Amino acid sequence: MRRIIKFVTGLFLVVSVLLCTVIGFYYVNLPDKYYLSDKTFKICTLFDIDIGVGNSDVKPVYASSDSAVVPKDVSVKTTNQADLKLLGLFPIKTVDAEIIERPLLIPCGTPFGIKIITGGAIVTEFGEVDGEDGYSSPARDGGIKIGDIIIKVNDMEITQNGDISEAVQLNPEIAQIIHIRDGKSLETNIVPVKSNKDDSLKIGMWVRDSSAGIGTLTFYNPSDGTFGGLGHAVCDVDTGQKLPLLSGDAVSVNISGVTKGFSGSPGELNGSFLSRVPIGEIRCNTEAGIFGVMESPPTIEGAIPMSYKQEVEIGSAKIIATVDGSSPKEYDVIIEKIDYSDKNKVKNMVVKVTDKELLSKAGGIVQGMSGSPIVQNGRLAGAVTHVFVSDPTRGYAIFAENMYRESLEIVEPFAIVEKEYEEEYEDAA
């Protein structure tokens, strides 16, 4: 009898430890916020995790119809507090469950050109100034670092590269520089050097105030004219820093071909801008992608429902991409892994290309395909964001919900204005 009691007690302790371990794992790795269409759902994991059934488990916190917060296709959004449970029995944690009308979005997969003017100028490298005392870089020696964003010099606002050189000439004694580093504003004073080459004052650094490239549009929201693309931030090619956005435009492009990727060398889409006239205005450059507004959708495809992140499943799906011309096409992929946590807004899924045609043409995922929408079970599930350098058949993807949340910051329509563009360039200061 004692042996039975010891066995049952030991088994109870083992089960309790395992249960606590599982609950602790999901407590850390499951999000604290969810979108819902009703008050019950299941998260697709190894264990069914229920948010609970009935009003006793879902408690309203507030309701809002503020048009500055809620998109036009959602009349009222209600945020609730709900109990997240393992197997519908064991409490994990209390989460925010926002009940909204499910968004209808047009999946695009169309390539587009990206023109970005930065807010300030990014330091890309240092240069040596030939001065009276030999060669030196006052900027580097004074504490400026690669990736710093110069926003003001000697009280002059910096909006383009040439502004820095002009501002430095204002005071031969000192260059008072206001710059951003890691999101913090800093002030650094540098003594300029008079160049023996042209007698101008220089501080020895190279800067960039614009960037251009090609990406893929993920979705167009027909209810308010907003769009989302890339699924990750536009970063400076030299520093890897996210580019601060002063203004930006989306323009039409044509894909002329693709450089096939292989292990150790990711491929890329080859294309060119078709026009300087914008098809849309870029309003945000965020970790989850770039977002803006367009007067009309770039594709004739119809809108489909968006998947909430808890509805995305491991298994087969389609990506919509353009690897030649300007017409998108569906290709087969498998979603191999899903991370529901809020730790990373971008790397939520691992996808593997299985489509023979895409593998033959591109080797899998290539640069320029970032933003290619992923459709699963007739819903927009996410977008491709990164390719694995060691295996171009695989890559990361972002939940469509994460991109949609970012797009909610943009609700105002706009008129596209024809502009003159300056090509990307670097300037020496």
Side-chain angles (χ1 to χ4, degrees):
M1 184 68 178
R2 289 182 178 179
R3 289 182 178 179
I4 295 175
I5 294 174
K6 286 182 178 180
F7 174 78
V8 172
T9 302
L11 182 62
F12 176 78
L13 289 174
V14 170
V15 171
S16 297
V17 170
L18 288 175
L19 184 60
C20 290
T21 301
V22 171
I23 289 174
F25 172 81
Y26 282 113
Y27 180 88
V28 172
N29 289 283
L30 288 178
D32 295 322
K33 296 181 180 180
Y34 294 89
Y35 277 158
L36 304 102
S37 293
D38 52 48
K39 294 182 178 180
T40 305
F41 73 86
K42 287 187 177 182
I43 298 175
C44 302
T45 56
L46 180 62
F47 298 90
D48 287 339
I49 298 181
D50 246 322
I51 205 166
V53 181
N55 293 329
S56 60
D57 290 319
V58 181
K59 304 169 185 178
V61 177
Y62 67 86
S64 171
S65 59
D66 183 357
S67 62
V69 178
V70 184
K72 296 177 182 179
D73 60 337
V74 181
S75 57
V76 175
K77 77 172 183 180
T78 304
T79 298
N80 306 273
Q81 285 189 338
D83 297 321
L84 198 64
K85 297 179 180 180
L86 178 65
L87 302 175
L89 297 174
F90 305 101
I92 297 177
K93 60 181 173 180
T94 300
V95 297
D96 289 337
E98 191 173 301
I99 299 174
I100 67 169
E101 183 177 339
R102 188 186 295 272
L104 294 175
L105 306 173
I106 298 175
C108 298
T110 46
F112 72 116
I114 301 165
K115 292 267 193 175
I116 283 183
I117 305 299
T118 63
I122 293 183
V123 179
T124 60
E125 62 179 301
F126 297 109
E128 299 291 328
V129 182
D130 181 12
E132 187 176 292
D133 297 325
Y135 288 92
S136 65
S137 173
R140 180 188 59 212
D141 298 340
I144 299 296
K145 295 185 180 296
I146 301 295
D148 284 358
I149 303 166
I150 311 299
I151 59 174
K152 186 181 289 188
V153 177
N154 290 337
D155 293 326
M156 178 185 287
E157 299 286 345
I158 304 302
T159 59
Q160 57 185 0
N161 293 340
D163 292 342
I164 297 180
S165 295
E166 182 179 343
V168 168
Q169 311 309 312
L170 297 177
N171 188 344
E173 303 297 327
I174 200 78
Q176 185 184 57
I177 298 176
I178 306 298
H179 54 108
I180 305 295
R181 181 186 301 160
D182 297 328
K184 297 180 180 179
S185 179
L186 304 173
E187 179 180 324
T188 301
N189 293 325
I190 295 172
V191 179
V193 170
K194 190 173 184 179
S195 172
N196 290 330
K197 186 176 181 179
D198 57 13
D199 287 336
S200 65
L201 296 172
K202 295 183 180 294
I203 55 177
M205 65 183 184
W206 291 85
V207 296
R208 179 181 293 122
D209 66 0
S210 62
S211 183
I214 293 176
T216 300
L217 284 169
T218 304
F219 67 81
Y220 178 86
N221 189 339
S223 71
D224 57 20
T226 60
F227 72 84
L230 289 190
H232 62 74
V234 177
C235 298
D236 182 74
V237 66
D238 292 315
T239 67
Q241 298 284 335
K242 184 180 76 172
L243 292 176
L245 179 67
L246 177 64
S247 63
D249 290 291
V251 298
S252 298
V253 300
N254 180 72
I255 302 302
S256 57
V258 58
T259 300
K260 191 172 181 178
F262 55 88
S263 180
S265 178
E268 64 177 339
L269 295 179
N270 304 314
S272 57
F273 294 173
L274 292 176
S275 172
R276 293 173 179 265
V277 178
I279 58 173
E281 178 186 343
I282 298 171
R283 297 245 180 114
C284 295
N285 179 28
T286 75
E287 182 184 348
I290 61 173
F291 302 91
V293 283
M294 287 182 177
E295 287 186 329
S296 60
T299 176
I300 60 173
E301 297 298 321
I304 63 175
M306 181 195 78
S307 283
Y308 301 127
K309 55 190 170 188
Q310 65 270 10
E311 296 173 331
V312 181
E313 303 173 342
I314 291 176
S316 60
K318 301 276 188 180
I319 65 169
I320 305 175
T322 305
V323 294
D324 50 40
S326 57
S327 298
K329 184 177 179 180
E330 288 189 348
Y331 299 99
D332 293 322
V333 297
I334 293 175
I335 298 175
E336 293 187 322
K337 183 179 178 182
I338 300 174
D339 182 355
Y340 294 103
S341 72
D342 291 325
K343 295 176 183 177
N344 194 314
K345 286 185 178 180
V346 175
K347 298 177 180 179
N348 307 132
M349 298 174 272
V350 174
V351 297
K352 176 179 174 62
V353 176
T354 58
D355 193 282
K356 292 182 179 179
E357 181 182 354
L358 185 57
L359 289 172
S360 175
K361 286 182 177 180
I365 299 167
V366 298
Q367 297 177 75
M369 283 174 59
S370 294
S372 297
I374 300 171
V375 176
Q376 186 182 60
N377 299 324
R379 295 173 176 171
L380 180 61
V384 174
T385 59
H386 298 80
V387 59
F388 291 177
V389 175
S390 60
D391 180 6
T393 66
R394 287 181 167 87
Y396 286 116
I398 184 175
F399 290 135
E401 178 184 314
N402 287 355
M403 295 184 69
Y404 176 73
R405 285 180 182 271
E406 293 285 349
S407 73
L408 293 184
E409 300 297 324
I410 310 161
V411 295
E412 295 297 327
F414 85 118
I416 297 176
V417 179
E418 187 170 348
K419 300 180 181 180
E420 290 294 330
Y421 290 97
E422 293 182 3
E423 298 300 325
E424 177 186 356
Y425 65 96
E426 290 185 346
D427 212 15

